[in-house]
Amino acid sequence: MTKITAVLLFVSIISFGQNNAKQEDWNILDTETYSIQYPLDWELNQNGQMSSSFVLFSALEPDEDLFRENVNLLIQDLSAYNLDLNQYTELSEGQVKTMIANSSIIESKRIKIGSEEYHRLIYTGDRSTFRLQFEQYYWVRNKKAFILTFTSEQDTFSKYKELGEAILNSFRFK
């Protein structure tokens, strides 16, 4: 039992160290309510475009890249609706199916880390001329829904998945 514990502890320390090393030099967006980390070469936009609190944009890749992978945060006031996380997730899944052309839900999963609980939804769909894949995290707190979304073209999602999830997973409430 002690050997197993030691091995698990060692693997956890190595994994933790690797994640921190990657994000050590990242920018931090720090607000009253939350913070999030993102790579130095990503652009932060806080102009409220499409009702977002922020949008982080990757750099365009050379050779005809027309889509910038991005992470954005929407905060919706739920005080008039009295929705919990289960109800909000059900509503969101329904909206994906009806509002996103050619949509397909790949994963819908509740995640609990310590006392923090959120829902992860991964889906694909078409927007304009792009075939996109989305990974969203939902929280319902203080009568507000927080929707954190990583968006990439379907063809390049696997290339950006690790980086996108590292950004998503750096999100912290205060």
Side-chain angles (χ1 to χ4, degrees):
M1 180 108 146
T2 337
K3 289 181 183 179
I4 293 172
T5 304
V7 169
L8 289 174
L9 181 61
F10 178 73
V11 169
S12 297
I13 290 169
I14 295 298
S15 299
F16 183 75
Q18 289 173 344
N19 287 339
N20 280 349
K22 289 179 186 176
Q23 293 176 275
E24 189 174 288
D25 296 327
W26 283 16
N27 287 319
I28 298 174
L29 172 59
D30 195 16
T31 75
E32 223 176 84
T33 310
Y34 61 84
S35 67
I36 191 167
Q37 297 178 26
Y38 59 98
L40 294 174
D41 61 345
W42 282 48
E43 175 189 335
L44 171 64
N45 182 319
Q46 292 180 282
N47 71 4
Q49 181 181 9
M50 297 177 62
S51 301
S52 64
S53 295
F54 68 80
V55 181
L56 301 169
F57 290 104
S58 70
L60 283 174
E61 293 183 2
D63 303 329
E64 303 176 17
D65 188 11
L66 299 175
F67 185 83
R68 294 173 76 181
E69 287 67 29
N70 63 82
V71 171
N72 69 74
L73 177 68
L74 297 174
I75 302 173
Q76 295 180 325
D77 182 3
L78 300 178
S79 57
Y81 305 104
N82 195 29
L83 297 174
D84 63 15
L85 185 56
N86 291 329
Q87 294 164 321
Y88 186 82
T89 298
E90 186 178 329
L91 179 66
S92 297
E93 287 176 352
Q95 288 178 336
V96 165
K97 292 173 185 172
T98 59
M99 298 178 73
I100 306 289
N102 301 314
S103 64
S104 177
I105 294 177
I106 297 168
E107 178 183 279
S108 183
K109 181 178 182 179
R110 189 61 48 92
I111 309 287
K112 188 166 185 172
I113 300 174
S115 63
E116 190 67 46
E117 185 175 40
Y118 64 95
H119 197 89
R120 179 173 61 203
L121 185 68
I122 302 174
Y123 61 96
T124 59
D126 298 342
R127 298 291 277 211
S128 184
T129 60
F130 297 106
R131 296 186 46 76
L132 301 175
Q133 186 157 341
F134 306 86
E135 183 164 343
Q136 294 186 316
Y137 292 5
Y138 303 143
W139 294 267
V140 174
R141 298 171 64 113
N142 304 319
K143 299 183 181 185
K144 292 181 183 174
F146 292 80
I147 306 96
L148 186 64
T149 306
F150 165 60
T151 308
S152 177
E153 289 181 281
Q154 286 182 38
D155 293 344
T156 58
F157 187 82
S158 60
K159 176 181 176 182
Y160 287 96
K161 182 179 183 354
E162 185 177 334
L163 179 59
E165 287 181 347
I167 297 168
L168 295 175
N169 292 328
S170 75
F171 185 84
R172 299 285 181 269
F173 285 104
K174 294 184 176 178

